[in-house]
Each structure stands twice: as structure tokens, then as C-alpha cells.
């Protein structure tokens, strides 16, 4: 990883952890992804931008395998997603062969712009929601 990419990663994750995520998690209408902590076993809730399409929820991780929630998904793909205030259980799939830039064209614009601006290793994630 280049020095600039590492700096962007550190700055963005520090801002997200200390400012954006604690505030956004409290907003009732914001979408949350709940994973199980790979070390602690505790629920971890991360605000995400994405879109439900049928029985799947799609999102793009801006830091790929460096994202804590992606690492948690690798350890345990069972997740929950809060969409419009309602929780849905599902199974997450990491899709390294998907084109994340093309995928973001179908996702919410504001979040996609932020992911493109700060992201260094984009990775598509699909959550297949339980019926």
C-alpha cells in the first residue's frame, strides 16, 4: 500500500471511529451492518451505505480487507442489516471479482461519492437476506 493510501486509510478510519460512526449509529433511519466481533464475539454495528435489491443488500467497502467489518465477515458471515429501522438477518458474501465502481452506480450517490473519495481498496459485499 502506498504512503498516501495508508494516510487516507488512517485519517478516514480515525474520523469514522471517533466522530461519524458514533453519531450515525444513533440515527433511526440510517442503515447499519451488524457483524460478530471475530475476537470478542460481541455484536459490532457499523453504519453503511447500500441498497436492498430484492432479497439481497449490496454495499461497497472502501478499505476492503482492512475494514474491521470485512474481517469479521471473513470469520463469521452471519450478519444482520438494519434497513429503514427494521432488522434483517442474512449471510454476507465478499465479492472480489465484482466491479465495485460499476456497483456504486446503483447505490446511494452520497455514500458512493464518499467511498470513491476516501477508499483505497474497494470491495463489493452482498448480503443474502433470510426470508
Amino acid at each position: 500500500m502506498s504512503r498516501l493510501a495508508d494516510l487516507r486509510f488512517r485519517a478516514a478510519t480515525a474520523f469514522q471511529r471517533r466522530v461519524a460512526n458514533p453519531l450515525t449509529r444513533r440515527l433511526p433511519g440510517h442503515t447499519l451492518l451488524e457483524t460478530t466481533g471475530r475476537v470478542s464475539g460481541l455484536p459490532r454495528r457499523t453504519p453503511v451505505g447500500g441498497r436492498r435489491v430484492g432479497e439481497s443488500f449490496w454495499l461497497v467497502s472502501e478499505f476492503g480487507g482492512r475494514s474491521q467489518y470485512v474481517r469479521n465477515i471473513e470469520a463469521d458471515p452471519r450478519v444482520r442489516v438494519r434497513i429503514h429501522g427494521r432488522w434483517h438477518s442474512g449471510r454476507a458474501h465478499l465479492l472480489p471479482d465484482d466491479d465495485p465502481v460499476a456497483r456504486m452506480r446503483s447505490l446511494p450517490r452520497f455514500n458512493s461519492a464518499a467511498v470513491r473519495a476516501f477508499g483505497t481498496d474497494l470491495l463489493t459485499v452482498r448480503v443474502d437476506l433470510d426470508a
Side-chain angles (χ1 to χ4, degrees):
M1 177 175 282
S2 75
R3 183 181 166 126
L4 177 61
D6 189 54
L7 181 63
R8 286 169 55 188
F9 170 76
R10 289 173 185 263
T13 56
F15 175 77
Q16 289 169 342
R17 284 185 189 148
R18 293 183 178 92
V19 179
N21 289 359
L23 293 173
T24 310
R25 272 194 292 265
R26 291 183 168 90
L27 298 175
H30 201 82
T31 303
L32 295 178
L33 175 68
E34 184 181 83
T35 60
T36 301
R38 64 194 173 283
V39 175
S40 69
L42 298 173
R44 300 297 183 196
R45 292 182 176 173
T46 305
V48 295
R51 174 165 284 140
R52 182 176 183 164
V53 179
E55 293 305 312
S56 296
F57 182 81
W58 293 84
L59 66 122
V60 173
S61 168
E62 59 194 332
F63 299 115
R66 291 185 78 182
S67 295
Q68 296 301 314
Y69 69 87
V70 169
R71 295 173 70 189
N72 289 341
I73 288 168
E74 289 174 330
D76 183 354
R78 293 171 300 169
V79 300
R80 292 191 325 148
V81 183
R82 186 181 77 182
I83 306 167
H84 302 298
R86 184 167 171 242
W87 285 100
H88 304 269
S89 296
R91 182 168 290 271
H93 304 274
L94 306 176
L95 304 172
D97 294 331
D98 190 67
D99 181 350
V101 174
R103 179 70 56 195
M104 284 190 294
R105 290 186 198 115
S106 67
L107 300 179
R109 288 185 187 179
F110 179 75
N111 183 75
S112 293
V115 169
R116 269 194 298 277
F118 297 106
T120 57
D121 186 21
L122 305 180
L123 174 66
T124 302
V125 179
R126 183 188 77 230
V127 177
D128 293 333
L129 304 172
D130 297 339

